[in-house]
Every structure is written in structure tokens, then in C-alpha cells.
Amino acid sequence: MKTLVPFLFFFSFTQMKASVTFKEAVKLIKEHESVLEKKAKSNAIKSMAKTKGSWGDPHFKIAAKNFPLDDLRDDQFPMTGVELGLSTKVALTPKYGNLREAMESKAQSLQFSAQDQKQALYKMLWEILISERRIEGEIRILKENAQWIAKILAISKKLYANGKTGQQAVLDIEIRKSEIESSLSTKKFEKAQIKDRLKYLVGQTEVSKSSIPWQGLVTQSQLDDYRDMAFKENIRAKEKQLSASKLNYIPDLTVSVALLKRANIDGKGDLISAAISFPLPFSNDKYANNESAIQHKYAAIKEHEHYKRSKEQAVALMRSQLNSLESELSIMNTKTIKFAQNSRRIIAKSYRYGGSTYIELLQSELKLQEILMRKVMLKALRDQRRVALKYTLGENLDG
């Protein structure tokens, strides 16, 4: 409850603002319900660890013993009396300590999973911001293209009025203009969807553009692979459970003492007794539990090995993809875009004087738009790969 109050206050405060900064978004993510859920489960298991490490409560017994059925007085028979007994379990091995440590490791594994969940949500935040930037870039390209097409349409109408071009040219350019307007409408709808995703994540539809640390995507930070840590703690928990199952072949003792309060009709006074009992390992329970513990440990180790191998392969693939994207972007920035821009400018100038057809003009315009859109997409893919790589390596994504 103490941790919830500041969060509610902070959340209410951010609701009154038009947008949140990146750092404020990160603070909100730290209190996301999926993160708090894992932490709560971890704390619950950690509390159970004390129970698993305990021998259990001692037992107190009070019993009326050997009272004659036809006369319930306690002075009719020497063995009649009230027995007060106390018994407790005594472990001959440290198996309960192993069980406690197994639960503590399981709890710690969940703590690391909660940390990884935070990283995954930071990754989601970055993906949303990258997608939003891509869509805004595409909208900007389409708007600029719409303005250019509007100018070309005005020129075409003058040429048509002067008899230098046909009506079909004007109609095709009008169609192209409407196509751009339709694309703009679609992009605006996509942007609205992005804002809905952002609101789910941080409760706000806007992150201040100036607060986003884009440079952090290209800088290295400390490695904290919480998934790897969670796997290791899970293996440690299975190892402790296996140790406990092996020690379970040695049974616990139940030690008891009892005092029989008598009427003392024979002058011998009260009687005292003691006993030790333990189960005989004739059933298959202990053998089955041990085999199960062995298989669970083996499964945990193999799961960790698979994770490490998959991680190595994923990192190599993402680095290769990043190099490819960087190379294509470099060529596009230094050559392709300039060539396409020059081509459209030359053809547009030629079109004004009747040297090029409207089809050539539209083709040059469409080609430039495709290239610019491709650049925006490549930039988004590059940054998404950077985010994915940092997450896979275990680098911090909180800016």
C-alpha cells in the first residue's frame, strides 16, 4: 500500500499533463501491473520458504487413559490417569534447509523475471516511439508530395487550357493526388493506433519528442541479462530440491514424552514415558520424488543451454541485419535519394515545356516517394534491431 500511494499520485499528476517525458514514462513502467504481479509472486514464495525450512510445530496432547467403563473415577485402577504429552519432529539431515534455499532461489528467479519484464516493457516503449516516428516521417513525405502534386496539377491545367496536353493527363494527376490523400488518411489512422498502444503502456498518448534519448540506442551500457540470471537461479532451486530429495531417504524422527497424572493408589506416583518413531521407507514415494527432482534439474539445465544458444544465434543475426541496414541507408543517403530528386526535378522542368510526358513525370514522382518511404522504413527497422539487440544482450533500455 505504501508503494501504491506515490504511484497513484504520480499517475494522477501525469494525467493532467499534455504529455510525459521519457523518464516519466520509464517511472510509470516500473509500476506496471505485469511487473508488480511478478514481484508479488516472488515475495509470496519467499515467505513460503520459511515454512519449507521449518520442522513444524510441536504437538501437545492431553488424554484421559484407562478409566473403567462402569466407574469413571480415577482411583479405581492403578493405571488410570490424565496423560500430558509433547511430541516434535527432529530432522537428522539438513533437507529442510535445502528446501528453504530452493524456495528462496525460486523467489529470486521470479525477481529477475520481474526485472526482465521491465526491460521488455522498455523495449515495447521504444518500439512504439520508433513506429510513431516512422509514421510521422511518412506523413511528412506524403504532405510534401501532395503539395508538389498540387503544383504539377496547376501546371497541367494551364497546359491543357493552352492545348499542350490532353485531358487524360489532368485526370491521371488528379487520381494520383487522391491516392496521396488516401495514404495520408491511412497513416493518420495508424498514428492513432500507436497512441492507443502508448496509452496502455504509460497511461498517456504522448511522450515529449525532445526528451527521447535516441543517442542511447547507439551507446553501450552495463550488461544485466535478467533472463540468464533467472535461469541460473531456477537451476540452483532444482539442485537444492534434488539434494533435499536425496536426504529424504533418511527419515525424520518423531520424539515424544508423556506424563501420566494418577491418583497414586499404589504409592508409585506419576508415570513418565518417552518414545521415538520414524517411518519405514517401503513405499515408492521417496524414489519417485527423487527421480522427479533429477528430471526437473535436467530440464532446467537444458532450458538454460537452449536459451544461451538461441541468444548467441539471435545476436549474430541481428548484428548482421544491422550492418545490412546501415549499408543500405548509407547508399540511399549519399546516392539514391539525390539521383531520384534530380530525376524528378529534371523531368518536371521538361514537362513544363513539353519535353516529357505526364506519365514520365508521375513515374519519377512515385519513384522518389517510394525511395523516401523506404528510407524512413529502413531507419525504423535499424532502430528496432538496435533495441532488440540491446534487450537480448541485457543492456539497459531505460535511457
Side-chain angles (χ1 to χ4, degrees), residues 138 141-150 152-153 156 168-184 344 358-359 361-373:
E138 291 170 342
I141 292 168
L142 289 169
K143 284 182 176 179
E144 291 173 355
N145 221 20
Q147 292 174 357
W148 186 86
I149 282 287
I152 295 299
L153 181 59
S156 298
Q168 188 64 44
V170 176
L171 290 175
D172 284 349
I173 294 171
E174 287 276 15
I175 291 171
R176 177 62 189 143
K177 182 174 178 289
S178 66
E179 287 175 349
I180 295 174
E181 290 170 351
S182 176
S183 296
L184 268 171
R344 189 183 73 168
Y358 76 92
I359 295 176
L361 180 66
L362 290 178
Q363 286 176 341
S364 68
E365 175 270 328
L366 185 59
K367 187 64 176 178
L368 177 58
Q369 178 179 298
E370 289 176 353
I371 291 170
L372 292 175
M373 288 290 205

Side-chain angles (χ1 to χ4, degrees), residues 35 58 65 83 96 141 144 169 240 246 273 334 390:
V35 176
K65 305 196 72 172
E83 184 180 75
Y96 292 104
I141 292 168
E144 291 173 355
K240 291 297 181 179
K246 289 179 179 178
S273 59
T334 57
K390 288 174 78 71

Side-chain angles (χ1 to χ4, degrees), residues 127-138:
E127 289 171 345
I128 291 172
L129 296 176
I130 291 167
S131 295
E132 185 178 42
R133 186 184 63 180
R134 172 184 59 80
I135 292 172
E136 288 174 349
E138 291 170 342

